[in-house]
């Protein structure tokens, strides 16, 4: 069956010899070069060769040769493929069972990339505020001006930044380098933190395809490409999905193969709280058995140049815009609930929480699955 699928893939892609192209059964059809038309052609060929009635969405339902081969074997043997059951929305009775945050992952200023690192930063009383990033081609000298009324400048030189937000291991998630360039860094961070949250919960991220895991994402800012001077033609086709906030939660579901609800919310500063509320509501109403509640409510890392991975093509207007109304703390940090309150600051950050009902959460800790054969998220420029 594997040889049949390999031969059919080669024919659809225009290869005369099935051994003339790189073949990996775990590689996605998308990364092999399939589009919607190619997916239908492959479906038609396999249907004619096997005599099995197959849906037009075959390649999207089974996005790798390995899963497709398993599906065909199950169909030819008259068996149903073994997949996790997905509860129908509203079918499960409402429950008031307590919910558990099984695992967390995070990206915060000060080099904080885990809950443990956050705790260390707090206990060691380290300062997470830093100067503006130096690798994004910002005019740092021209950006600063002590007068808040000066247009297009900031009267502070510091803030909370994710200095390595531009680094992303696209291959880990089956994403091409061109598509990764067109993706808002918020989407990249969501993929990274979702992967790590699953691993921290003792779940192999590669084993979740078909699971009824919901994704609830809070995102505020959507201006990744609004001020680009120009966009290369070879990435223009990815801009719509790469920058739409509504796609952020759906991309996580698609990459991991989740079949639970996928929702992106924008309620300004409360976006992360609303995302967690919706996740809890979905768990209690039986819409999903597990949920990722992810928040990326702050301004993203600014745009990187299309030609150089260490520069940016537009000014850091997110820092300059609030200057004239004077809400920004000059020291780059805010002091809440204190007589020394000194305005506010919008730091960059991201975080994902993995939720389950308490009864189910206890079972994960007693039966941890085998670790993923792929490495934990490693970051590389590009």
């Amino acid at each position: 069956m594997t040889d049949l699928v390999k031969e059919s893939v080669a024919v659809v892609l225009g290869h005369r010899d099935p051994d003339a192209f790189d073949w990996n059964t775990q590689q996605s059809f998308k990364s092999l070069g399939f589009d919607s038309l190619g997916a239908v052609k492959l479906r038609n060929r396999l249907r004619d060769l096997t005599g099995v009635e197959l849906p037009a969405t075959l390649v999207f339902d089974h996005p790798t040769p390995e899963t497709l081969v398993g599906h065909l074997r199950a169909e030819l043997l008259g068996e149903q493929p073994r997949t996790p059951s997905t509860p129908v929305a509203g079918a499960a009775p409402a429950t008031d069972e307590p919910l558990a945050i099984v695992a967390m992952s995070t990206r915060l200023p000060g080099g904080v990339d885990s809950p443990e690192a956050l705790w260390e930063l707090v206990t060691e009383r380290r300062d997470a505020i830093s100067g503006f990033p130096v690798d994004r081609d910002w005019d740092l000298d021209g950006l600063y001006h002590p007068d808040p009324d000066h247009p297009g400048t900031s009267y502070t030189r510091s803030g909370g930044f994710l200095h390595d937000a531009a680094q992303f291991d696209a291959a880990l998630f089956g994403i091409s380098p061109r598509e990764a360039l067109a993706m808002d860094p918020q989407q990249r961070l969501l993929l990274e933190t979702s992967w790590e949250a699953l691993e921290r919960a003792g779940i192999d991220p590669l084993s979740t395809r078909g699971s009824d895991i919901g994704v609830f994402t809070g995102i505020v800012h959507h201006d990744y490409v609004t001020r680009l001077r120009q966009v290369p033609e070879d990435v223009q086709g990815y801009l719509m999905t790469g920058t739409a906030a509504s796609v952020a939660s759906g991309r996580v579901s698609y990459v991991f193969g989740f079949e639970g609800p996928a929702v992106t919310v924008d309620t300004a500063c409360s976006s992360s709280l609303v995302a967690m509320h919706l996740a809890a509501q979905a768990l209690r109403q039986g819409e999903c058995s597990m949920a990722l509640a992810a928040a990326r409510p702050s301004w993203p890392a600014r745009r990187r140049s299309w030609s150089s991975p260490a520069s940016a093509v537009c000014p850091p207007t997110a820092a300059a815009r609030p200057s004239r109304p004077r809400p920004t703390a000059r020291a780059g940090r805010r002091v809440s609930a204190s007589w020394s309150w000194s305005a506010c600051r919008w730091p960059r950050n991201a975080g994902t929480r993995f939720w389950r009902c308490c009864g189910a959460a206890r079972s994960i800790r007693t039966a941890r699955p085998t670790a993923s054969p792929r490495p934990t998220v490693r970051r590389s420029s590009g």
Side-chain angles (χ1 to χ4, degrees):
M1 188 63 65
T2 301
D3 292 338
L4 175 64
V5 171
K6 181 179 180 180
E7 180 184 5
S8 298
V9 167
V11 170
V12 172
L13 293 178
H15 299 290
R16 295 182 179 181
D17 183 1
D19 297 323
F21 69 104
D22 293 334
W23 172 257
N24 184 343
T25 58
Q26 294 184 346
Q27 186 177 1
S28 67
F29 286 110
K30 179 182 177 182
S31 63
L32 283 171
F34 274 82
D35 54 15
S36 298
L37 179 59
V40 173
K41 288 182 177 180
L42 180 62
R43 185 283 305 260
N44 293 342
R45 180 176 174 82
L46 291 174
R47 179 192 59 191
D48 295 341
L49 292 174
T50 63
V52 176
E53 190 61 35
L54 301 170
T57 57
L58 180 68
V59 166
F60 300 98
D61 296 335
H62 308 280
T64 66
E66 183 179 50
T67 56
L68 177 55
V69 167
H71 173 72
L72 292 175
R73 284 175 175 165
E75 288 293 320
L76 290 172
L77 293 174
E79 300 174 355
Q80 291 298 321
R82 183 174 169 275
T83 58
S85 58
T86 304
V88 177
T95 176
D96 58 356
E97 181 182 1
L99 302 178
I101 299 177
V102 181
M104 299 172 59
S105 59
T106 186
R107 298 285 186 274
L108 297 171
V112 173
D113 58 3
S114 68
E116 293 82 2
L118 174 59
W119 183 246
E120 290 175 3
L121 183 141
V122 173
T123 56
E124 297 173 8
R125 299 185 178 182
R126 299 201 313 266
D127 191 353
I129 301 301
S130 64
F132 285 102
V134 297
D135 63 344
R136 298 173 194 175
D137 201 27
W138 291 354
D139 180 10
L140 298 182
D141 293 331
L143 172 63
Y144 174 76
H145 195 283
D147 183 3
D149 290 325
H150 191 273
T153 58
S154 170
Y155 58 82
T156 178
R157 296 180 183 270
S158 56
F161 297 97
L162 300 181
H163 287 272
D164 56 355
Q167 297 178 336
F168 178 63
D169 186 1
L172 180 64
F173 302 100
I175 296 172
S176 70
R178 286 187 299 177
E179 184 174 7
L181 277 176
M183 285 172 59
D184 189 321
Q186 296 180 105
Q187 294 191 19
R188 305 180 191 178
L189 289 167
L190 288 172
L191 289 172
E192 288 186 353
T193 54
S194 296
W195 180 289
E196 292 178 5
L198 290 170
E199 283 192 328
R200 286 176 165 273
I203 296 176
D204 179 0
L206 300 179
S207 70
T208 56
R209 186 164 300 280
S211 300
D212 63 330
I213 298 178
V215 180
F216 301 87
T217 302
I219 290 182
V220 176
H221 297 278
H222 325 284
D223 60 348
Y224 180 57
V225 295
T226 55
R227 280 173 292 276
L228 289 176
R229 297 193 187 103
Q230 60 181 5
V231 179
E233 293 183 1
D234 58 348
V235 301
Q236 288 180 355
Y238 298 109
L239 286 181
M240 183 178 69
T241 55
T243 60
S246 58
V247 174
S249 56
R251 185 183 291 276
V252 173
S253 292
Y254 178 79
V255 167
F256 292 98
F258 301 154
E259 296 185 1
V263 180
T264 301
V265 296
D266 179 359
T267 56
C269 297
S270 64
S271 296
S272 58
L273 295 176
V274 174
M276 288 191 291
H277 168 75
L278 293 175
Q281 188 177 64
L283 286 168
R284 288 196 165 127
Q285 292 182 353
E287 297 173 4
C288 55
S289 63
M290 297 169 278
L292 287 170
R296 181 58 186 84
S298 308
W299 279 311
R302 305 310 296 168
R303 298 75 164 149
R304 289 152 52 83
S305 166
W306 300 109
S307 59
S308 170
S311 60
V313 294
C314 67
T317 51
R321 278 182 303 199
S323 291
R324 301 193 75 176
R326 296 174 174 80
T328 307
R330 287 184 178 272
R333 56 182 60 79
R334 55 187 171 187
V335 183
S336 302
S338 168
W339 288 108
S340 58
W341 179 84
S342 58
C344 63
R345 193 61 177 160
W346 291 270
R348 285 75 169 157
N349 60 77
T352 298
R353 299 167 183 83
F354 182 70
W355 294 53
R356 294 198 78 172
C357 292
C358 275
R362 295 188 186 98
S363 66
I364 324 181
R365 292 303 182 186
T366 58
R368 298 178 69 90
T370 304
S372 167
R374 301 177 80 172
T376 303
V377 174
R378 63 186 189 281
R379 298 184 179 185
S380 59
S381 297

